[in-house]
């Protein structure tokens, strides 16, 4: 029997691109940010965008045993780590950095994710006598640039941005690097227009991995026959690219799955519920509705309820925090939530910043993620303490391992 090619239907967009987040966890952004990111998206996005457009399998045969592969992937991803992937290359000369200050600029401080990462980053740097200054990006390009300029004026040892595309503060970041202040861009896919060098490094984060894991769970749960509505954040080229990775996973492993993409943004947050509802109603037989990030979870759920399909739809999300996991445990709409090890990311970010300040090559950093389902969420303690320690994802001894690398144990 001929297998139906997987089609990706792009839902009608009623919003423009908005603010950026690690994995989209941020508050509504001002129009200024929306305009800048829209320009970046037009230049960098690889996701299909046309209303009613589709991307098929181009006649290629589906991967054998796609559902079995997805099921095996899920089995691994729902388990806790046996150990965190701490780099192995020791770092010498860290004592020379004592007293320096690193500036951490998250896209906004209104998202809990950045609090976890920032707190861990501060603790990590303090262990070697380096200070941390946090400057709220405020979801605004002008504010972000002002934060970078403040760091330059203060003679910062390094600048770390979180969930901010390089282009949003390109001139300011260029000026910082010209003054030999290294820049570390985190929770963003590397920008090919600004390649890494001795003054610029990237830590991508687990955005792509989380969306691919979600695709695997849906494929396995549906036995390879899912009908999905996926709310894609257009807030940055990276958030679009994460969804593209999920689409590729569906295409490869699930030729009988159908994925309808509904484009949303934090700039038009109030429109997401109605947009979700209309997309669900235009997609007969939909079984799964994906909120790309927990930031959009409540309005996504509201849209499903407005559509009258709540009883037949399974909610899916990523960027899991305490609120999302609590909802998952209570079996309220959510069936799976992918999470990123934000505390570990803070320590990995510190390691990268120290290496950049010392002029050393950065290793490859993997930020772990885990799938939390209704079956395994009861195995963790859902509170801010365990989130901050990294206990949701594995053993918490990674902090001592980093200190050993830095000669601070």
């Amino acid at each position: 029997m001929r297998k139906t090619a997987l089609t990706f239907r792009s839902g009608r967009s009623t919003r423009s691109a908005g603010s950026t987040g690690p994995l989209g966890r941020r508050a509504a952004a001002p129009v200024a940010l929306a305009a800048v990111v829209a320009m970046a998206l037009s230049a960098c996005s690889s996701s299909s965008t046309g209303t009613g457009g589709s991307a098929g399998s181009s006649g290629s045969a589906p991967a054998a045993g796609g559902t079995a592969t997805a099921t095996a992937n899920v089995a691994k991803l729902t388990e806790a780590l046996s150990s965190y992937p701490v780099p192995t290359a020791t770092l010498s000369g860290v004592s020379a950095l004592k007293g320096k200050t690193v500036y951490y600029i998250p896209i906004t401080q209104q998202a809990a994710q950045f609090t976890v990462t920032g707190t861990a980053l501060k603790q990590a740097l303090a262990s070697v006598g380096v200070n941390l200054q946090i400057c709220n990006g405020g979801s605004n390009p002008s504010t972000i640039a002002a934060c970078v300029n403040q760091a330059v004026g203060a003679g910062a040892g390094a600048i770390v941005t979180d969930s901010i595309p390089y282009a949003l503060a390109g001139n300011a970041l260029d000026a910082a690097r010209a003054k030999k202040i290294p820049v570390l861009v985190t929770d963003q896919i590397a920008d090919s227009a600004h390649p890494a060098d001795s003054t610029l490094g990237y830590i991508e984060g687990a955005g792509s991995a989380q969306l691919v894991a979600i695709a695997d769970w849906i494929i396995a749960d549906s036995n390879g026959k899912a009908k999905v509505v996926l709310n894609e954040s257009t807030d940055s080229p990276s958030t679009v690219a994460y969804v593209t990775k999920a689409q590729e996973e569906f295409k490869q492993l699930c030729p009988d799955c159908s994925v309808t993409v509904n484009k949303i943004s934090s700039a038009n947050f109030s429109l997401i519920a109605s947009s979700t509802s209309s997309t669900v109603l235009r997609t007969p037989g939909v079984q799964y509705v994906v909120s790309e990030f927990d930031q959009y979870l409540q309005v996504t759920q509201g849209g499903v309820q407005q559509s009258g399909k709540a009883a037949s739809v399974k909610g899916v999300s990523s960027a899991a925090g305490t609120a999302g996991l609590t909802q998952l445990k209570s079996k309220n709409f959510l069936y799976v939530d992918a999470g990123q090890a934000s505390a570990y990311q803070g320590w990995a970010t510190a390691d990268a910043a120290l290496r950049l300040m010392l002029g050393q090559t950065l290793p490859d950093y993997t930020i772990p993620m885990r799938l939390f389902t209704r079956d395994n969420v009861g195995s963790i303690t859902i509170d801010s303490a365990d989130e901050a320690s990294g206990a949701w994802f594995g053993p918490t001894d990674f902090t001592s391992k980093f200190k050993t690398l830095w000669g601070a144990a």
Side-chain angles (χ1 to χ4, degrees):
M1 178 176 64
R2 185 176 66 85
K3 293 182 181 286
T4 304
L6 170 62
T7 60
F8 299 112
R9 306 182 187 89
S10 180
R12 181 180 302 160
S13 175
T14 58
R15 54 196 54 79
S16 59
S19 70
T20 292
L23 309 165
R25 295 150 294 202
R26 54 222 164 262
V31 174
L33 184 61
V36 176
V37 177
M39 293 174 62
L41 280 167
S42 64
C44 304
S45 173
S46 60
S47 174
S48 59
T49 57
T51 300
S54 65
S57 61
S58 301
S60 59
T67 300
T69 298
T71 301
N73 291 343
V74 169
K76 294 177 183 178
L77 293 169
T78 52
E79 295 294 324
L81 299 168
S82 58
S83 63
Y84 276 90
V86 177
T88 57
T90 57
L91 188 57
S92 59
V94 177
S95 60
L97 302 177
K98 188 174 182 179
K100 289 186 176 292
T101 298
V102 171
Y103 271 69
Y104 175 59
I105 308 172
I107 186 69
T108 175
Q109 286 186 302
Q110 295 183 12
Q113 165 70 23
F114 300 116
T115 299
V116 175
T117 300
T119 298
L121 177 58
K122 182 175 182 178
Q123 293 171 343
L125 293 174
S127 72
V128 291
V130 176
N131 303 311
L132 182 71
Q133 179 68 44
I134 298 177
C135 188
N136 181 12
S139 296
N140 186 298
S142 297
T143 305
I144 294 166
C147 285
V148 175
N149 293 335
Q150 178 185 338
V152 172
I159 297 170
V160 176
T161 65
D162 201 332
S163 300
I164 299 171
Y166 191 101
L168 284 189
N171 290 337
L173 293 174
D174 286 345
R177 294 166 62 198
K179 291 183 177 294
K180 306 302 181 184
I181 298 175
V183 172
L184 180 66
V185 177
T186 66
D187 275 319
Q188 290 288 287
I189 294 173
D191 184 347
S192 60
H194 301 91
D197 60 19
S198 61
T199 63
L200 176 63
Y202 290 90
I203 297 180
E204 179 178 333
S208 295
Q210 290 179 103
L211 268 292
V212 170
I214 282 173
D216 285 337
W217 183 88
I218 292 173
I219 294 167
D221 186 69
S222 68
N223 197 28
K225 297 183 182 299
K227 291 187 177 180
V228 184
V229 166
L230 198 164
N231 275 355
E232 174 192 87
S233 170
T234 60
D235 283 0
S236 80
S238 289
T239 60
V240 172
Y242 302 157
V243 170
T244 299
K245 289 294 185 182
Q247 290 177 310
E248 291 171 354
E249 188 79 347
F250 278 113
K251 180 178 178 180
Q252 180 180 359
L253 299 183
C254 192
D256 290 329
C257 288
S258 171
V259 180
T260 301
V261 173
N262 180 43
K263 295 182 180 296
I264 64 173
S265 83
S266 51
N268 289 296
F269 195 86
S270 62
L271 300 177
I272 294 174
S274 59
S275 172
T276 302
S277 177
S278 61
T279 304
V280 168
L281 290 172
R282 291 197 310 269
T283 311
V286 62
Q287 303 153 293
Y288 304 87
V289 174
V290 180
S291 169
E292 185 171 0
F293 309 116
D294 271 11
Q295 173 202 351
Y296 305 116
L297 179 56
Q298 295 306 313
V299 284
T300 295
Q301 181 178 2
V304 173
Q305 291 171 337
Q306 288 178 24
S307 73
K309 303 292 184 180
S312 59
V313 165
K314 294 182 178 182
V316 181
S317 188
S318 82
T322 54
L325 293 179
T326 299
Q327 182 171 339
L328 177 66
K329 189 173 183 179
S330 66
K331 299 183 179 180
N332 176 12
F333 179 65
L334 266 186
Y335 280 74
V336 64
D337 203 355
Q340 175 172 310
S342 301
Y344 175 82
Q345 181 171 336
W347 283 77
T349 297
D351 184 79
L354 294 173
R355 292 179 192 274
L356 282 173
M357 284 191 284
L358 291 170
Q360 299 193 14
T361 302
L362 300 188
D364 291 329
Y365 296 96
T366 299
I367 306 302
M369 55 77 55
R370 185 180 181 187
L371 278 177
F372 297 102
T373 69
R374 292 186 176 188
D375 293 329
N376 73 350
V377 70
S379 67
I380 64 170
T381 301
I382 304 173
D383 61 19
S384 57
D386 274 24
E387 181 181 23
S389 71
W392 290 353
F393 302 89
T396 59
D397 59 349
F398 61 87
T399 58
S400 61
K401 291 180 178 179
F402 273 114
K403 290 179 183 179
T404 297
L405 289 182
W406 307 334

